[in-house]
Amino acid sequence: MSRVHDALRRAEQSGMLSPPVTRPATDARSALATLDPGPNLQGLLEQVEEIPFRAAADSLLIDVSRPHEAPMEEFRTLRTRLNHMKSLQPMNTVVMTSPSPAEGKSLSAANLALAQAHLAGNVTLLADFDFRRPIVHTLFQTDRSPGITDYLLGKVPLHQAMRKLAGTNMYIMPAGEAVINPLELLNLREVKLLLDRLPSLFNWVILDSPPLLFAADANLLSTMCHGTLLVVRIGHTTIDSVTRAMQSLCNNNVLGIVVNGARRGELYSKYTYYHSYYTPKDEELPEGEELENEEMAAPKEASASGRVAAPTASASHEKPAAEPAASHEEPAS
């Protein structure tokens, strides 16, 4: 071995061996440092167009001016638990999805955004990332375009893809014009940069996305956001679809499950004791308005967001769809 070392030493002294060349680092982190930091958001909200708050007649959106109604109370409970979780860990962006279509994910996303925006100073953005079957623009009776796809394709600046609902802390981003390759569009670098920068403007960014079992869009978006809320519907969602939806996620960052489709009687029964504290007396009701008559004439289902299971830190794959991830507690008087 000593003779090998001596041979190597003589070769180095004669110039036959060269010292190792030090090359500049080319790892992923140094490459990311050269990327565009994203859109300049300074003063952006001042440029956003303000539109009247006109909910579609059959949209079943919650009415924040009637806080005594049970659906509004359910979404306030969900809002409270999400805000508590946010106080424990960084959380600004949440994806709302469901295992299958027609389970109420879009309506739940809109109602949660309305409940969040009802808090003073809680600026909230509802973004329609369901490019396949967008509905946010229909719920709030505005144009679908310009929206998110128009911004991602470089056709409009970011502020033109947004709308502000007059008299609220809520902003919406419609889906934008139809595209033939929604998943490829979501893979653009600009999507990740946008979702990373929006929390500097909004306390909450709530994303509506396609169902998990019918498209990969929600799975991809969940990897870019802080958490995912899974929406299921009583009598519609099966245990198998919930299990497969949860297992399909790349990141198991499910915060909880929102249960839709509860009957109106189920919601109001647990508020009977407190109902008189939340509603005005009969003589204080507007002329011609009778609360009891309204309830008797109401349909059997309160809304597509009838019953909400408040989120938990994690969700089990074995839980059936009709059971919430966390039990709902009665609000204090």
Side-chain angles (χ1 to χ4, degrees):
M1 184 65 68
S2 61
R3 286 180 294 180
V4 174
H5 290 166
D6 292 339
L8 290 173
R9 190 179 300 111
R10 287 194 299 270
E12 184 176 355
Q13 291 173 354
S14 62
M16 295 175 64
L17 293 179
S18 302
V21 178
T22 303
R23 294 181 174 84
T26 57
D27 59 3
R29 283 179 292 182
S30 62
L32 287 175
T34 64
L35 293 180
D36 179 11
N40 181 11
L41 303 184
Q42 185 176 4
L44 182 140
L45 295 186
E46 287 74 14
Q47 305 177 54
V48 176
E49 176 189 4
E50 184 172 289
I51 62 173
F53 185 1
R54 297 176 301 190
D58 57 347
S59 64
L60 298 179
L61 292 175
I62 58 175
D63 186 354
V64 295
S65 66
R66 302 178 66 88
H68 60 274
E69 293 186 346
M72 178 64 189
E73 186 62 33
E74 294 288 331
F75 279 100
R76 280 200 300 234
T77 301
L78 177 59
R79 176 190 70 190
T80 299
R81 297 199 178 184
L82 281 175
N83 290 343
H84 174 66
M85 295 177 70
K86 184 177 181 179
S87 68
L88 303 177
Q89 63 189 55
M91 186 182 302
N92 296 93
T93 53
V94 174
V95 177
M96 298 284 286
T97 186
S98 60
S100 307
E103 291 173 326
K105 62 173 182 59
S106 299
L107 188 58
S108 297
N111 282 335
L112 175 59
L114 284 170
Q116 289 285 8
H118 190 54
L119 293 177
N122 202 28
V123 185
T124 304
L125 173 67
L126 173 63
D128 194 347
F129 275 85
D130 188 348
F131 301 154
R132 303 169 190 269
R133 298 184 65 182
I135 195 175
V136 168
H137 66 284
T138 303
L139 293 176
F140 295 96
Q141 300 190 67
T142 185
D143 296 328
R144 171 175 172 170
S145 182
I148 300 174
T149 60
D150 303 282
Y151 166 72
L152 294 177
L153 294 173
K155 296 183 178 181
V156 297
L158 183 57
H159 71 272
Q160 291 186 13
M162 297 182 182
R163 323 273 195 277
K164 183 182 187 300
L165 299 181
T168 70
N169 291 320
M170 183 168 165
Y171 293 73
I172 62 173
M173 286 184 71
E177 67 176 24
V179 292
I180 60 175
N181 55 347
L183 188 58
E184 284 73 13
L185 195 63
L186 291 176
N187 273 284
L188 291 177
R189 175 174 59 93
E190 286 76 11
V191 176
K192 176 61 175 173
L193 292 175
L194 178 64
L195 294 177
D196 287 343
R197 297 294 304 279
L198 285 176
S200 64
L201 290 176
F202 302 98
N203 292 13
W204 284 99
V205 179
I206 299 172
L207 283 63
D208 182 24
S209 64
L212 281 168
L213 299 181
F214 286 75
D217 304 28
N219 196 345
L220 176 60
L221 288 170
S222 69
T223 65
M224 307 180 195
C225 296
H226 297 135
T228 303
L229 283 175
L230 190 65
V231 180
V232 301
R233 186 174 182 85
I234 296 174
H236 184 279
T237 310
T238 64
I239 299 175
D240 177 65
S241 63
V242 173
T243 301
R244 290 189 294 120
M246 299 275 288
Q247 292 175 343
S248 70
L249 290 170
C250 294
N251 290 344
N252 189 3
N253 60 353
V254 176
L255 305 173
I257 295 178
V258 180
V259 181
N260 280 332
R263 294 181 180 274
R264 180 176 291 268
E266 296 173 352
L267 288 175
Y268 276 102
S269 61
K270 63 180 178 178
Y271 294 103
T272 302
Y273 180 78
Y274 299 96
H275 196 58
S276 60
Y277 294 93
Y278 290 131
T279 56
K281 302 300 181 182
D282 292 340
E283 60 270 14
E284 298 175 359
L285 288 172
E287 183 178 356
E289 182 177 358
E290 293 292 339
L291 183 61
E292 294 181 356
N293 293 339
E294 284 187 76
E295 295 183 10
M296 293 174 61
K300 289 185 178 181
E301 290 190 2
S303 69
S305 58
R307 185 176 181 181
V308 179
T312 58
S314 62
S316 171
H317 290 178
E318 290 76 20
K319 284 190 178 292
E323 293 185 7
S327 60
H328 175 67
E329 299 175 355
E330 291 188 356
S333 59

